[in-house]
Amino acid sequence: LAIPGLAVASVAGGLAAHPSSSRQPQAPHRHTPGAGERPTLRRLRYLVKWGHWQLLEYEEASVELRSMVLDEVVRAFSPWVQRLYLLHARTEKRGSAELREVRQHLEPLCHLLQRSAAREALEQAVEAVGLAAMLGGLSARHVDRCRMMFPAVLETIALFTPPEGAQ
Protein backbone atom coordinates (compact mmCIF):
# COMPACT_ATOMS: atom_id res chain seq x y z
CA LEU A 1 0.00 0.00 0.00
CA ALA A 2 2.92 2.35 0.56
CA ILE A 3 4.10 2.05 -3.05
CA PRO A 4 0.91 3.44 -4.68
CA GLY A 5 0.92 6.27 -2.13
CA LEU A 6 4.51 7.11 -3.03
CA ALA A 7 3.66 7.06 -6.73
CA VAL A 8 0.74 9.45 -6.22
CA ALA A 9 2.91 11.72 -4.07
CA SER A 10 5.65 11.72 -6.71
CA VAL A 11 3.23 12.59 -9.50
CA ALA A 12 1.53 15.29 -7.41
CA GLY A 13 4.88 16.78 -6.43
CA GLY A 14 6.06 16.72 -10.03
CA LEU A 15 2.89 18.42 -11.24
CA ALA A 16 3.15 21.07 -8.56
CA ALA A 17 6.66 21.93 -9.72
CA HIS A 18 5.72 21.89 -13.43
CA PRO A 19 6.46 25.28 -14.99
CA SER A 20 3.29 25.38 -17.09
CA SER A 21 2.86 29.14 -16.70
CA SER A 22 6.41 29.90 -17.83
CA ARG A 23 7.21 30.17 -21.54
CA GLN A 24 10.96 29.62 -21.09
CA PRO A 25 12.22 26.09 -21.80
CA GLN A 26 13.57 24.56 -18.65
CA ALA A 27 17.16 23.41 -19.08
CA PRO A 28 17.89 19.84 -18.07
CA HIS A 29 20.15 19.24 -15.11
CA ARG A 30 23.58 19.92 -16.53
CA HIS A 31 26.34 17.45 -16.07
CA THR A 32 29.45 19.10 -17.40
CA PRO A 33 31.81 16.39 -18.61
CA GLY A 34 35.47 16.82 -17.74
CA ALA A 35 38.17 17.34 -20.33
CA GLY A 36 38.13 14.52 -22.85
CA GLU A 37 35.01 13.00 -21.31
CA ARG A 38 32.08 12.30 -23.62
CA PRO A 39 28.44 12.07 -22.45
CA THR A 40 27.10 8.59 -21.87
CA LEU A 41 24.50 7.01 -24.11
CA ARG A 42 22.04 7.13 -21.23
CA ARG A 43 22.56 10.89 -20.83
CA LEU A 44 22.20 11.49 -24.57
CA ARG A 45 18.96 9.51 -24.71
CA TYR A 46 17.63 11.53 -21.78
CA LEU A 47 18.52 14.81 -23.50
CA VAL A 48 16.79 13.71 -26.70
CA LYS A 49 13.61 12.88 -24.79
CA TRP A 50 13.84 16.16 -22.90
CA GLY A 51 14.46 18.12 -26.11
CA HIS A 52 11.56 16.50 -27.93
CA TRP A 53 9.25 17.16 -24.99
CA GLN A 54 10.39 20.79 -24.84
CA LEU A 55 9.84 21.28 -28.57
CA LEU A 56 6.33 19.86 -28.28
CA GLU A 57 5.58 21.86 -25.13
CA TYR A 58 6.75 25.12 -26.69
CA GLU A 59 5.38 24.54 -30.18
CA GLU A 60 3.98 28.07 -30.34
CA ALA A 61 7.04 29.70 -28.74
CA SER A 62 9.43 31.96 -30.61
CA VAL A 63 11.94 30.52 -33.06
CA GLU A 64 14.72 31.66 -30.74
CA LEU A 65 13.39 29.65 -27.77
CA ARG A 66 12.95 26.52 -29.89
CA SER A 67 16.45 27.02 -31.32
CA MET A 68 17.83 27.27 -27.80
CA VAL A 69 16.37 23.83 -27.05
CA LEU A 70 18.12 22.40 -30.10
CA ASP A 71 21.35 24.18 -29.09
CA GLU A 72 21.21 22.53 -25.68
CA VAL A 73 20.60 19.03 -27.05
CA VAL A 74 23.05 19.15 -29.96
CA ARG A 75 25.80 20.62 -27.75
CA ALA A 76 25.82 17.39 -25.75
CA PHE A 77 26.50 15.39 -28.91
CA SER A 78 29.39 17.63 -29.96
CA PRO A 79 32.18 15.52 -28.37
CA TRP A 80 30.92 12.49 -30.30
CA VAL A 81 30.83 14.47 -33.55
CA GLN A 82 34.39 15.61 -32.84
CA ARG A 83 35.35 11.98 -32.35
CA LEU A 84 33.77 11.25 -35.73
CA TYR A 85 35.92 13.97 -37.34
CA LEU A 86 39.03 12.33 -35.88
CA LEU A 87 38.00 8.91 -37.14
CA HIS A 88 37.39 10.31 -40.62
CA ALA A 89 40.82 11.96 -40.53
CA ARG A 90 42.35 8.56 -39.73
CA THR A 91 40.23 7.06 -42.54
CA GLU A 92 38.60 4.52 -40.27
CA LYS A 93 36.77 1.67 -41.95
CA ARG A 94 32.97 1.86 -41.81
CA GLY A 95 32.80 -1.27 -39.66
CA SER A 96 35.46 -0.41 -37.06
CA ALA A 97 34.61 -0.76 -33.38
CA GLU A 98 35.32 2.92 -32.71
CA LEU A 99 33.03 4.03 -35.52
CA ARG A 100 30.29 1.68 -34.27
CA GLU A 101 30.57 3.28 -30.82
CA VAL A 102 30.26 6.78 -32.31
CA ARG A 103 27.25 5.69 -34.40
CA GLN A 104 25.62 4.22 -31.30
CA HIS A 105 26.02 7.52 -29.43
CA LEU A 106 24.87 9.69 -32.33
CA GLU A 107 21.84 7.52 -33.09
CA PRO A 108 19.57 9.27 -30.55
CA LEU A 109 20.27 12.62 -32.24
CA CYS A 110 19.48 11.08 -35.62
CA HIS A 111 16.15 9.84 -34.26
CA LEU A 112 15.35 13.27 -32.81
CA LEU A 113 16.07 14.93 -36.16
CA GLN A 114 13.54 12.63 -37.81
CA ARG A 115 10.73 13.91 -35.59
CA SER A 116 8.61 16.64 -37.11
CA ALA A 117 8.92 18.99 -34.11
CA ALA A 118 12.73 18.88 -34.28
CA ARG A 119 12.84 19.07 -38.06
CA GLU A 120 10.57 22.12 -38.09
CA ALA A 121 12.54 23.82 -35.31
CA LEU A 122 15.79 23.16 -37.17
CA GLU A 123 14.37 24.54 -40.43
CA GLN A 124 13.19 27.65 -38.58
CA ALA A 125 16.61 28.07 -36.96
CA VAL A 126 18.34 27.86 -40.35
CA GLU A 127 15.90 30.38 -41.84
CA ALA A 128 16.40 32.75 -38.88
CA VAL A 129 20.18 32.65 -39.28
CA GLY A 130 19.88 33.21 -43.04
CA LEU A 131 17.53 36.14 -42.54
CA ALA A 132 19.76 37.69 -39.88
CA ALA A 133 22.75 37.33 -42.21
CA MET A 134 20.87 39.01 -45.06
CA LEU A 135 19.81 41.89 -42.82
CA GLY A 136 23.27 42.24 -41.27
CA GLY A 137 22.05 41.39 -37.80
CA LEU A 138 23.98 38.23 -36.93
CA SER A 139 24.32 37.72 -33.20
CA ALA A 140 26.80 35.58 -31.30
CA ARG A 141 24.10 32.88 -31.00
CA HIS A 142 23.64 32.82 -34.78
CA VAL A 143 27.38 32.44 -35.31
CA ASP A 144 27.55 29.73 -32.64
CA ARG A 145 24.80 27.80 -34.42
CA CYS A 146 26.76 27.99 -37.67
CA ARG A 147 29.93 26.81 -35.93
CA MET A 148 28.50 24.10 -33.70
CA MET A 149 24.87 23.08 -34.15
CA PHE A 150 24.50 23.03 -37.93
CA PRO A 151 27.78 21.14 -38.64
CA ALA A 152 26.98 18.59 -35.91
CA VAL A 153 23.55 18.00 -37.42
CA LEU A 154 24.98 17.67 -40.93
CA GLU A 155 27.67 15.21 -39.81
CA THR A 156 25.09 13.13 -37.95
CA ILE A 157 22.79 13.01 -40.98
CA ALA A 158 25.74 12.11 -43.24
CA LEU A 159 26.79 9.30 -40.90
CA PHE A 160 23.37 7.65 -41.12
CA THR A 161 22.79 8.29 -44.81
CA PRO A 162 23.89 5.36 -46.95
CA PRO A 163 26.39 6.18 -49.70
CA GLU A 164 25.02 6.58 -53.23
CA GLY A 165 24.19 3.23 -54.82
CA ALA A 166 24.62 1.26 -51.56
CA GLN A 167 20.96 0.54 -50.90
Side-chain angles (χ1 to χ4, degrees):
L1 289 179
I3 299 297
L6 286 175
V8 170
S10 296
V11 170
L15 289 175
H18 186 270
S20 58
S21 63
S22 163
R23 292 304 296 166
Q24 283 279 55
Q26 301 295 311
H29 172 72
R30 284 194 181 198
H31 165 72
T32 310
E37 187 180 336
R38 291 183 288 275
T40 64
L41 184 58
R42 181 179 179 176
R43 173 76 177 155
L44 295 172
R45 286 179 177 154
Y46 166 78
L47 281 169
V48 163
K49 287 179 185 176
W50 172 86
H52 186 243
W53 181 82
Q54 289 291 311
L55 291 171
L56 292 174
E57 182 75 14
Y58 298 102
E59 210 168 25
E60 301 301 318
S62 71
V63 172
E64 185 59 29
L65 286 177
R66 293 167 54 80
S67 297
M68 288 170 57
V69 170
L70 287 176
D71 289 340
E72 189 72 30
V73 173
V74 174
R75 184 178 297 115
F77 287 88
S78 183
W80 288 101
V81 172
Q82 291 172 8
R83 182 75 185 137
L84 181 61
Y85 288 143
L86 293 173
L87 292 175
H88 285 322
R90 289 189 351 209
T91 62
E92 284 293 317
K93 302 280 190 259
R94 277 192 92 62
S96 75
E98 287 180 286
L99 191 55
R100 279 194 305 271
E101 180 185 25
V102 170
R103 282 180 63 92
Q104 180 183 23
H105 284 82
L106 290 177
E107 193 171 9
L109 179 57
C110 184
H111 289 290
L112 175 66
L113 295 171
Q114 292 174 16
R115 296 186 176 261
S116 60
R119 188 178 59 249
E120 290 167 9
L122 182 61
E123 288 171 358
Q124 291 171 349
V126 169
E127 289 173 6
V129 169
L131 184 61
M134 283 182 7
L135 298 175
L138 282 175
S139 70
R141 278 197 177 137
H142 292 128
V143 173
D144 193 42
R145 286 185 187 125
C146 291
R147 286 186 5 211
M148 194 273 307
M149 182 171 62
F150 299 154
V153 166
L154 288 172
E155 283 297 318
T156 301
I157 291 169
L159 180 64
F160 289 94
T161 303
E164 289 290 322
Q167 270 119 36

